[in-house]
């Protein structure tokens, strides 16, 4: 097994103090650092890195634009938009921060939705809403009855 070190029983350590697999010494998963994920040979050359960033921005912009078009159409609009943000996050710190914030908020919302108290409230509200809709449908049907579209009299 290659640990990334030439010495036996050693593990390669990243520059920020984390182990190479991204886990800290206590086994907890640490978030990756902010910044460009471009290969080293691209980062070493300023013009190449700038053109890399322009390319990543253009591809991310195209994906986000497709996602925006898909919002009113049938299709996974938000998923595509977040995919474009993930493309931008490979190169731009602002996109990484937005993506981290979004992930945090989605996780918080999922945890809140799984709370038994909130689930009971949501089930109660849904039941009350269905009872109201059924009551209104019953009133409508008792007043007008069921009329098929081909039997409408003018």
């Amino acid at each position: 097994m290659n640990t990334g070190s030439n010495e036996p029983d050693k593990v390669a350590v990243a520059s920020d103090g984390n182990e190479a697999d991204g886990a800290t010494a206590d086994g907890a998963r640490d978030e990756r650092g902010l910044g460009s994920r471009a290969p080293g040979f691209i980062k070493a050359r300023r013009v190449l890195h700038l053109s890399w960033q322009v390319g990543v921005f253009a591809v991310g912009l195209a994906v986000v634009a497709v996602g925006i078009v898909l919002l009113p159409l049938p299709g996974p609009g938000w998923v595509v938009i977040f995919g474009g943000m993930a493309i931008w996050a490979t190169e731009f710190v602002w996109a990484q921060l937005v993506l981290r914030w979004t992930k945090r908020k989605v996780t918080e919302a999922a945890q809140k939705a799984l709370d038994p108290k909130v689930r009971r409230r949501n089930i109660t509200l849904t039941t009350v809403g269905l009872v109201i809709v059924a009551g209104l449908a019953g009133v409508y049907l008792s007043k007008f009855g069921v009329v098929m579209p081909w039997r409408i009299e003018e």
Side-chain angles (χ1 to χ4, degrees):
M1 181 172 115
N2 183 4
T3 61
S5 174
N6 292 333
E7 298 177 15
D9 299 327
K10 296 285 183 177
V11 176
V13 177
S15 61
D16 61 354
N18 292 338
E19 294 180 20
D21 65 350
T24 57
D26 63 353
R29 179 98 175 130
D30 194 27
E31 293 187 38
R32 291 179 88 177
L34 298 175
S36 174
R37 305 229 192 320
F41 73 93
I42 291 177
K43 287 186 202 177
R45 292 164 184 86
R46 182 169 167 76
V47 173
L48 190 57
H49 192 230
L50 185 63
S51 62
W52 176 270
Q53 286 181 328
V54 169
V56 167
F57 184 79
V59 170
L61 184 64
V63 172
V64 168
V66 168
I68 290 171
V69 168
L70 286 177
L71 283 176
L73 300 174
W78 284 110
V79 174
V80 175
I81 289 173
F82 290 128
M85 288 296 296
I87 291 170
W88 279 338
T90 63
E91 197 58 35
F92 302 109
V93 174
W94 61 268
Q96 292 169 0
L97 294 174
V98 168
L99 216 51
R100 283 184 184 178
W101 179 84
T102 303
K103 286 179 185 177
R104 190 171 55 250
K105 290 299 180 184
V106 167
T107 304
E108 289 172 6
Q111 290 300 321
K112 187 175 180 182
L114 293 175
D115 180 27
K117 188 176 180 181
V118 174
R119 289 184 71 191
R120 277 193 302 273
R121 183 197 68 201
N122 290 344
I123 290 171
T124 303
L125 289 174
T126 302
T127 304
V128 167
L130 288 174
V131 167
I132 291 172
V133 167
L136 291 174
V139 168
Y140 177 83
L141 289 175
S142 68
K143 184 170 184 174
F144 298 107
V146 178
V147 178
M148 296 296 159
W150 54 86
R151 292 207 177 157
I152 296 176
E153 297 177 8
E154 293 185 38

